[in-house]
């Protein structure tokens, strides 16, 4: 699926599974039908490239994080900006809604995390979160905690209500942490680091439970995610232009998807069906959908 003219930074399925959103360095958000591959709508308005997008839980709103230091909240049906959130002093790199979608969390190159009131479009809290750019932020299942990571090699857990740091997880060599998210049950944290490794952490004990390797990730912020619609898998992009799928329990690579012609930064899994979306950088510029044919 082609449409973007510069590197694609993020792909996200809507929670109802009806749309796939993509963001890119061309300043645009594109909405696709995952079933026909057609572009449904293009959201224009940011002045600089985009690094991330996130859906509200009811699939009606989309947030986009831009190098223009703003976040826009879009009405998806109408394709218009409802709010422009201003408060970061540098590139906004990551964004996510809480489960109720009344709050938004963002992380930026200014090393801060901001928690926003969505309806008012105002910052509620600004956290001095990391000593380097913040690369990912994610709410847990009930919205009471936020996990963040940064180029400083730290993973931090925050109390949403108070803004207090509850825990800091650091690996021995503290490689850049390029992506982090809570597991669907919120008991664990999946973290991608620039030592070609993805780790599953129990954040209560700060113990690393599983490590997943085989892919390449030492330069870019490559997304990883859980797939739970047909078994339990870990899915990640890779700097060797492929998508890797691991068995969550055994940690073995069960499949490698070939097809992209450049680094695969963005991957996402469909909420109900065995579909993976992926997107790639300059030399490729496609969004691809991978469908599971069932047991081969």
């Amino acid at each position: 699926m082609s449409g973007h003219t510069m590197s694609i930074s993020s792909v996200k399925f809507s929670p109802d599974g009806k749309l796939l959103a993509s963001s890119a360095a061309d300043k645009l958000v594109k909405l696709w039908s995952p079933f026909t591959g057609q572009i449904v709508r293009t959201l224009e308005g940011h002045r600089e490239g985009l690094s991330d997008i996130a859906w509200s839980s009811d699939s009606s709103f989309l947030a986009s994080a831009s190098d223009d230091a703003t976040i826009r909240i879009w009405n998806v049906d109408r394709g218009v900006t409802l709010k422009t959130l201003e408060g970061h002093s540098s590139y906004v790199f990551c964004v996510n809604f809480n489960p109720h979608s009344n709050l938004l969390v963002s992380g930026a190159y200014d090393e801060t995390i901001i928690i926003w009131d969505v309806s008012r479009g105002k910052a509620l809290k600004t956290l001095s979160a990391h000593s380097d750019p913040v690369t990912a932020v994610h709410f847990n299942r009930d919205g009471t905690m936020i996990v963040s990571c940064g180029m400083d090699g730290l993973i931090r857990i925050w109390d949403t209500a108070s803004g207090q740091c509850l825990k800091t997880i650091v690996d021995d060599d503290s490689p850049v942490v390029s992506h982090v998210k809570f597991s669907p049950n919120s008991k664990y944290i999946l973290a991608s680091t620039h030592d070609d490794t993805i780790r599953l952490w129990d954040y209560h004990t700060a113990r690393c439970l599983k490590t997943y390797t085989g892919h390449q990730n030492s330069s870019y912020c490559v997304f990883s995610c859980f797939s739970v619609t047909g078994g339990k898998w870990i899915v990640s992009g890779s700097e060797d232009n492929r998508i890797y799928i691991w068995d969550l329990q055994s940690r073995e690579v069960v499949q490698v998807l070939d097809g992209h012609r450049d680094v695969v930064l963005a991957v996402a899994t469909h909420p109900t069906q065995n579909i993976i979306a992926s997107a790639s950088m300059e030399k490729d510029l496609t969004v691809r959908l991978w469908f599971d044919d069932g047991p081969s």
Side-chain angles (χ1 to χ4, degrees):
M1 294 156 29
S2 300
H4 285 292
T5 57
M6 294 171 75
S7 276
I8 303 165
S9 53
S10 185
V11 287
K12 299 278 174 72
F13 284 102
S14 58
D16 64 11
K18 292 177 183 169
L19 290 172
L20 176 72
S22 60
S23 63
D26 59 11
K27 313 175 193 171
L28 303 176
V29 175
K30 290 190 181 287
L31 300 167
W32 314 76
S33 161
F35 306 109
T36 66
Q38 299 298 306
I39 294 177
V40 178
R41 197 164 286 115
T42 298
L43 308 180
E44 299 182 49
H46 278 293
R47 297 187 305 280
E48 299 293 341
L50 309 182
S51 286
D52 200 13
I53 38 175
W55 288 92
S56 64
S57 354
D58 65 358
S59 301
S60 340
F61 305 104
L62 196 66
S64 53
S66 172
D67 285 359
D68 64 17
T70 71
I71 297 146
R72 283 178 182 247
I73 297 175
W74 305 83
N75 175 306
V76 173
D77 280 344
R78 291 170 35 222
V80 296
T81 299
L82 298 176
K83 294 266 187 310
T84 302
L85 309 184
E86 299 180 349
H88 283 296
S89 59
S90 185
Y91 312 138
V92 190
F93 199 74
C94 46
V95 66
N96 261 310
F97 283 93
N98 71 336
H100 289 303
S101 300
N102 62 321
L103 300 179
L104 192 77
V105 63
S106 60
Y109 265 66
D110 59 15
E111 305 172 5
T112 69
I113 291 170
I114 299 182
I115 301 169
W116 306 85
D117 177 320
V118 171
S119 61
R120 288 169 47 231
K122 295 279 184 279
L124 295 175
K125 288 190 174 58
T126 301
L127 314 178
S128 299
H130 290 271
S131 55
D132 273 309
V134 181
T135 49
V137 284
H138 187 230
F139 281 98
N140 68 337
R141 193 169 63 170
D142 65 6
T144 55
M145 292 187 290
I146 293 163
V147 64
S148 70
C149 63
M151 292 186 182
D152 57 5
L154 302 181
I155 298 167
R156 290 199 148 137
I157 312 271
W158 307 87
D159 179 78
T160 305
S162 69
Q164 295 297 307
C165 181
L166 301 174
K167 186 157 284 188
T168 300
I169 296 172
V170 60
D171 201 51
D172 299 339
D173 306 322
S174 66
V176 166
V177 189
S178 60
H179 190 253
V180 72
K181 72 186 308 182
F182 282 102
S183 60
N185 66 9
S186 289
K187 290 181 182 169
Y188 310 106
I189 286 166
L190 191 68
S192 303
T193 43
H194 280 184
D195 54 359
D196 306 313
T197 307
I198 299 168
R199 291 176 179 84
L200 189 70
W201 294 89
D202 178 332
Y203 63 89
H204 299 292
T205 60
R207 264 183 54 233
C208 175
L209 303 177
K210 307 263 185 195
T211 55
Y212 306 94
T213 56
H215 66 305
Q216 291 174 21
N217 183 19
S218 57
S219 310
Y220 295 98
C221 286
V222 171
F223 284 86
S224 56
C225 57
F226 294 87
S227 172
V228 292
T229 48
K232 290 192 164 45
W233 320 106
I234 303 292
V235 182
S236 176
S238 177
E239 289 163 17
D240 64 3
N241 311 349
R242 294 170 162 145
I243 297 128
Y244 284 75
I245 305 172
W246 292 264
D247 181 300
L248 186 142
Q249 293 299 345
S250 75
R251 312 185 304 278
E252 286 169 26
V253 174
V254 290
Q255 204 171 358
V256 180
L257 305 177
D258 269 306
H260 282 292
R261 296 185 305 280
D262 203 346
V263 171
V264 180
L265 287 183
V267 291
T269 51
H270 192 277
T272 56
Q273 302 188 35
N274 297 335
I275 308 172
I276 294 171
S278 61
S280 185
M281 291 179 58
E282 269 89 3
K283 299 191 193 89
D284 182 309
L285 298 180
T286 63
V287 175
R288 288 174 186 247
L289 292 170
W290 310 81
F291 294 83
D292 183 2
D293 301 332
S296 48

